[in-house]
Amino acid sequence: MAREIASGSPWRCWVASRDSAIVGQVWLQLLSKLPNPVGERDRHAYLSNLYVIPAARGGVGTRLLESALAWAEENRVDRVVLWPTPDSTRLYERHGFVRVGDVMEMTCGQPS
Protein backbone atom coordinates (compact mmCIF):
# COMPACT_ATOMS: atom_id res chain seq x y z
CA MET A 1 0.00 0.00 0.00
CA ALA A 2 2.95 2.34 0.34
CA ARG A 3 3.05 2.68 -3.44
CA GLU A 4 -0.65 3.55 -3.57
CA ILE A 5 -0.36 6.37 -1.04
CA ALA A 6 2.99 7.74 -2.22
CA SER A 7 3.17 11.34 -3.36
CA GLY A 8 1.82 11.76 -6.87
CA SER A 9 -0.25 8.58 -6.75
CA PRO A 10 -3.82 8.72 -8.10
CA TRP A 11 -5.00 6.94 -4.91
CA ARG A 12 -6.28 8.65 -1.76
CA CYS A 13 -7.12 6.90 1.49
CA TRP A 14 -9.07 7.94 4.58
CA VAL A 15 -9.00 6.01 7.82
CA ALA A 16 -11.01 6.15 11.02
CA SER A 17 -9.33 5.34 14.30
CA ARG A 18 -10.39 4.63 17.83
CA ASP A 19 -7.91 4.35 20.71
CA SER A 20 -4.98 4.56 18.23
CA ALA A 21 -6.27 1.60 16.19
CA ILE A 22 -7.61 1.85 12.65
CA VAL A 23 -11.26 0.78 12.64
CA GLY A 24 -12.28 1.79 9.13
CA GLN A 25 -11.03 2.84 5.72
CA VAL A 26 -12.07 4.01 2.27
CA TRP A 27 -10.00 4.37 -0.91
CA LEU A 28 -10.52 6.64 -3.91
CA GLN A 29 -8.56 6.55 -7.18
CA LEU A 30 -8.60 9.39 -9.69
CA LEU A 31 -9.28 8.25 -13.25
CA SER A 32 -8.91 10.60 -16.20
CA LYS A 33 -10.61 9.89 -19.50
CA LEU A 34 -9.31 11.19 -22.78
CA PRO A 35 -11.01 14.38 -23.96
CA ASN A 36 -13.80 13.70 -26.41
CA PRO A 37 -15.56 15.62 -29.17
CA VAL A 38 -18.99 15.62 -27.48
CA GLY A 39 -17.87 17.34 -24.30
CA GLU A 40 -18.52 14.37 -22.03
CA ARG A 41 -17.09 15.09 -18.61
CA ASP A 42 -13.77 13.36 -18.15
CA ARG A 43 -12.56 13.51 -14.54
CA HIS A 44 -13.73 10.38 -12.73
CA ALA A 45 -12.94 8.57 -9.49
CA TYR A 46 -13.25 4.97 -8.38
CA LEU A 47 -14.31 4.46 -4.75
CA SER A 48 -13.21 1.16 -3.21
CA ASN A 49 -12.81 -0.81 0.00
CA LEU A 50 -15.07 1.16 2.30
CA TYR A 51 -14.96 -1.03 5.39
CA VAL A 52 -15.54 -0.50 9.11
CA ILE A 53 -14.98 -3.24 11.67
CA PRO A 54 -18.31 -4.39 13.12
CA ALA A 55 -17.59 -3.08 16.64
CA ALA A 56 -17.11 0.48 15.29
CA ARG A 57 -20.12 0.66 12.97
CA GLY A 58 -22.85 3.24 13.46
CA GLY A 59 -21.83 6.33 11.51
CA VAL A 60 -18.13 5.74 10.92
CA GLY A 61 -18.70 4.48 7.36
CA THR A 62 -20.91 7.47 6.60
CA ARG A 63 -18.23 9.89 7.81
CA LEU A 64 -15.55 8.10 5.77
CA LEU A 65 -17.72 8.19 2.65
CA GLU A 66 -18.60 11.86 3.18
CA SER A 67 -14.90 12.72 3.57
CA ALA A 68 -14.00 10.99 0.31
CA LEU A 69 -16.90 12.60 -1.54
CA ALA A 70 -16.02 16.06 -0.17
CA TRP A 71 -12.46 15.60 -1.43
CA ALA A 72 -13.82 14.54 -4.84
CA GLU A 73 -16.01 17.65 -4.98
CA GLU A 74 -13.13 19.94 -3.94
CA ASN A 75 -10.95 18.39 -6.64
CA ARG A 76 -13.52 18.80 -9.43
CA VAL A 77 -14.25 15.11 -9.91
CA ASP A 78 -17.16 14.75 -12.34
CA ARG A 79 -18.32 11.23 -11.51
CA VAL A 80 -17.61 8.67 -8.79
CA VAL A 81 -18.14 4.98 -9.56
CA LEU A 82 -18.05 1.88 -7.34
CA TRP A 83 -19.03 -1.76 -7.18
CA PRO A 84 -21.21 -2.16 -4.07
CA THR A 85 -21.79 -5.17 -1.90
CA PRO A 86 -25.44 -6.07 -1.26
CA ASP A 87 -25.13 -4.71 2.29
CA SER A 88 -23.64 -1.36 1.21
CA THR A 89 -26.12 -0.36 -1.50
CA ARG A 90 -28.43 1.59 0.82
CA LEU A 91 -25.56 3.68 2.21
CA TYR A 92 -24.52 4.72 -1.28
CA GLU A 93 -28.10 5.43 -2.36
CA ARG A 94 -28.50 7.78 0.63
CA HIS A 95 -25.54 9.73 -0.72
CA GLY A 96 -26.88 10.13 -4.25
CA PHE A 97 -25.45 7.07 -6.01
CA VAL A 98 -27.62 5.27 -8.55
CA ARG A 99 -27.29 1.76 -9.90
CA VAL A 100 -26.17 1.40 -13.51
CA GLY A 101 -25.88 -2.32 -14.23
CA ASP A 102 -23.64 -3.88 -11.60
CA VAL A 103 -21.97 -0.58 -10.66
CA MET A 104 -23.21 2.49 -8.84
CA GLU A 105 -22.31 6.02 -9.82
CA MET A 106 -22.81 9.56 -8.65
CA THR A 107 -22.40 12.71 -10.72
CA CYS A 108 -20.58 15.48 -8.86
CA GLY A 109 -20.50 19.23 -9.30
CA GLN A 110 -21.43 21.16 -12.39
CA PRO A 111 -20.06 20.73 -15.90
CA SER A 112 -17.30 23.22 -16.77
Side-chain angles (χ1 to χ4, degrees), residues 50-62:
L50 173 56
Y51 181 77
V52 177
I53 64 170
R57 292 183 181 160
V60 173
T62 294

PDB file of all heavy atoms in Angstrom, residues 50-62:
ATOM      1  N   LEU A  50     -14.506   0.512   1.118  1.00  0.00           N
ATOM      2  CA  LEU A  50     -15.070   1.157   2.296  1.00  0.00           C
ATOM      3  C   LEU A  50     -15.422   0.034   3.268  1.00  0.00           C
ATOM      4  O   LEU A  50     -16.245  -0.828   2.981  1.00  0.00           O
ATOM      5  CB  LEU A  50     -16.324   1.958   1.937  1.00  0.00           C
ATOM      6  CG  LEU A  50     -17.108   2.547   3.117  1.00  0.00           C
ATOM      7  CD1 LEU A  50     -16.229   3.424   3.996  1.00  0.00           C
ATOM      8  CD2 LEU A  50     -18.297   3.327   2.611  1.00  0.00           C
ATOM      9  N   TYR A  51     -14.742   0.029   4.407  1.00  0.00           N
ATOM     10  CA  TYR A  51     -14.960  -1.026   5.395  1.00  0.00           C
ATOM     11  C   TYR A  51     -14.759  -0.456   6.791  1.00  0.00           C
ATOM     12  O   TYR A  51     -13.821   0.312   7.038  1.00  0.00           O
ATOM     13  CB  TYR A  51     -13.997  -2.201   5.194  1.00  0.00           C
ATOM     14  CG  TYR A  51     -14.235  -3.295   6.206  1.00  0.00           C
ATOM     15  CD1 TYR A  51     -15.309  -4.170   6.076  1.00  0.00           C
ATOM     16  CD2 TYR A  51     -13.410  -3.421   7.323  1.00  0.00           C
ATOM     17  CE1 TYR A  51     -15.554  -5.152   7.031  1.00  0.00           C
ATOM     18  CE2 TYR A  51     -13.647  -4.399   8.277  1.00  0.00           C
ATOM     19  CZ  TYR A  51     -14.718  -5.258   8.125  1.00  0.00           C
ATOM     20  OH  TYR A  51     -14.968  -6.224   9.067  1.00  0.00           O
ATOM     21  N   VAL A  52     -15.638  -0.857   7.687  1.00  0.00           N
ATOM     22  CA  VAL A  52     -15.543  -0.502   9.107  1.00  0.00           C
ATOM     23  C   VAL A  52     -15.716  -1.794   9.895  1.00  0.00           C
ATOM     24  O   VAL A  52     -16.635  -2.573   9.621  1.00  0.00           O
ATOM     25  CB  VAL A  52     -16.626   0.522   9.503  1.00  0.00           C
ATOM     26  CG1 VAL A  52     -16.560   0.825  10.999  1.00  0.00           C
ATOM     27  CG2 VAL A  52     -16.487   1.795   8.686  1.00  0.00           C
ATOM     28  N   ILE A  53     -14.835  -2.020  10.862  1.00  0.00           N
ATOM     29  CA  ILE A  53     -14.979  -3.236  11.668  1.00  0.00           C
ATOM     30  C   ILE A  53     -16.339  -3.201  12.373  1.00  0.00           C
ATOM     31  O   ILE A  53     -16.833  -2.131  12.739  1.00  0.00           O
ATOM     32  CB  ILE A  53     -13.820  -3.426  12.671  1.00  0.00           C
ATOM     33  CG1 ILE A  53     -13.787  -2.308  13.697  1.00  0.00           C
ATOM     34  CG2 ILE A  53     -12.478  -3.537  11.945  1.00  0.00           C
ATOM     35  CD1 ILE A  53     -12.829  -2.574  14.853  1.00  0.00           C
ATOM     36  N   PRO A  54     -16.961  -4.361  12.546  1.00  0.00           N
ATOM     37  CA  PRO A  54     -18.314  -4.392  13.122  1.00  0.00           C
ATOM     38  C   PRO A  54     -18.457  -3.640  14.448  1.00  0.00           C
ATOM     39  O   PRO A  54     -19.451  -2.949  14.664  1.00  0.00           O
ATOM     40  CB  PRO A  54     -18.591  -5.887  13.284  1.00  0.00           C
ATOM     41  CG  PRO A  54     -17.801  -6.511  12.167  1.00  0.00           C
ATOM     42  CD  PRO A  54     -16.524  -5.691  12.097  1.00  0.00           C
ATOM     43  N   ALA A  55     -17.480  -3.725  15.322  1.00  0.00           N
ATOM     44  CA  ALA A  55     -17.593  -3.075  16.635  1.00  0.00           C
ATOM     45  C   ALA A  55     -17.605  -1.552  16.549  1.00  0.00           C
ATOM     46  O   ALA A  55     -18.018  -0.878  17.488  1.00  0.00           O
ATOM     47  CB  ALA A  55     -16.434  -3.531  17.534  1.00  0.00           C
ATOM     48  N   ALA A  56     -17.173  -0.979  15.420  1.00  0.00           N
ATOM     49  CA  ALA A  56     -17.105   0.477  15.289  1.00  0.00           C
ATOM     50  C   ALA A  56     -18.199   1.038  14.379  1.00  0.00           C
ATOM     51  O   ALA A  56     -18.224   2.229  14.110  1.00  0.00           O
ATOM     52  CB  ALA A  56     -15.727   0.876  14.757  1.00  0.00           C
ATOM     53  N   ARG A  57     -19.082   0.200  13.906  1.00  0.00           N
ATOM     54  CA  ARG A  57     -20.117   0.665  12.966  1.00  0.00           C
ATOM     55  C   ARG A  57     -21.145   1.529  13.684  1.00  0.00           C
ATOM     56  O   ARG A  57     -21.271   1.501  14.886  1.00  0.00           O
ATOM     57  CB  ARG A  57     -20.778  -0.525  12.288  1.00  0.00           C
ATOM     58  CG  ARG A  57     -19.794  -1.212  11.373  1.00  0.00           C
ATOM     59  CD  ARG A  57     -20.375  -2.356  10.616  1.00  0.00           C
ATOM     60  NE  ARG A  57     -19.305  -2.937   9.794  1.00  0.00           N
ATOM     61  CZ  ARG A  57     -19.330  -4.137   9.298  1.00  0.00           C
ATOM     62  NH1 ARG A  57     -20.377  -4.913   9.497  1.00  0.00           N
ATOM     63  NH2 ARG A  57     -18.327  -4.575   8.578  1.00  0.00           N
ATOM     64  N   GLY A  58     -21.845   2.325  12.890  1.00  0.00           N
ATOM     65  CA  GLY A  58     -22.847   3.235  13.459  1.00  0.00           C
ATOM     66  C   GLY A  58     -22.477   4.673  13.157  1.00  0.00           C
ATOM     67  O   GLY A  58     -22.434   5.496  14.061  1.00  0.00           O
ATOM     68  N   GLY A  59     -22.163   4.969  11.915  1.00  0.00           N
ATOM     69  CA  GLY A  59     -21.831   6.335  11.508  1.00  0.00           C
ATOM     70  C   GLY A  59     -20.418   6.514  11.001  1.00  0.00           C
ATOM     71  O   GLY A  59     -20.132   7.474  10.292  1.00  0.00           O
ATOM     72  N   VAL A  60     -19.520   5.617  11.354  1.00  0.00           N
ATOM     73  CA  VAL A  60     -18.128   5.743  10.915  1.00  0.00           C
ATOM     74  C   VAL A  60     -18.032   5.615   9.394  1.00  0.00           C
ATOM     75  O   VAL A  60     -17.346   6.401   8.733  1.00  0.00           O
ATOM     76  CB  VAL A  60     -17.213   4.713  11.620  1.00  0.00           C
ATOM     77  CG1 VAL A  60     -15.808   4.735  11.047  1.00  0.00           C
ATOM     78  CG2 VAL A  60     -17.182   4.985  13.118  1.00  0.00           C
ATOM     79  N   GLY A  61     -18.730   4.656   8.819  1.00  0.00           N
ATOM     80  CA  GLY A  61     -18.701   4.483   7.364  1.00  0.00           C
ATOM     81  C   GLY A  61     -19.264   5.698   6.648  1.00  0.00           C
ATOM     82  O   GLY A  61     -18.728   6.126   5.620  1.00  0.00           O
ATOM     83  N   THR A  62     -20.324   6.264   7.191  1.00  0.00           N
ATOM     84  CA  THR A  62     -20.912   7.471   6.605  1.00  0.00           C
ATOM     85  C   THR A  62     -19.907   8.605   6.618  1.00  0.00           C
ATOM     86  O   THR A  62     -19.733   9.306   5.615  1.00  0.00           O
ATOM     87  CB  THR A  62     -22.187   7.871   7.374  1.00  0.00           C
ATOM     88  OG1 THR A  62     -23.161   6.847   7.179  1.00  0.00           O
ATOM     89  CG2 THR A  62     -22.737   9.206   6.901  1.00  0.00           C
TER      90      THR A  62
END
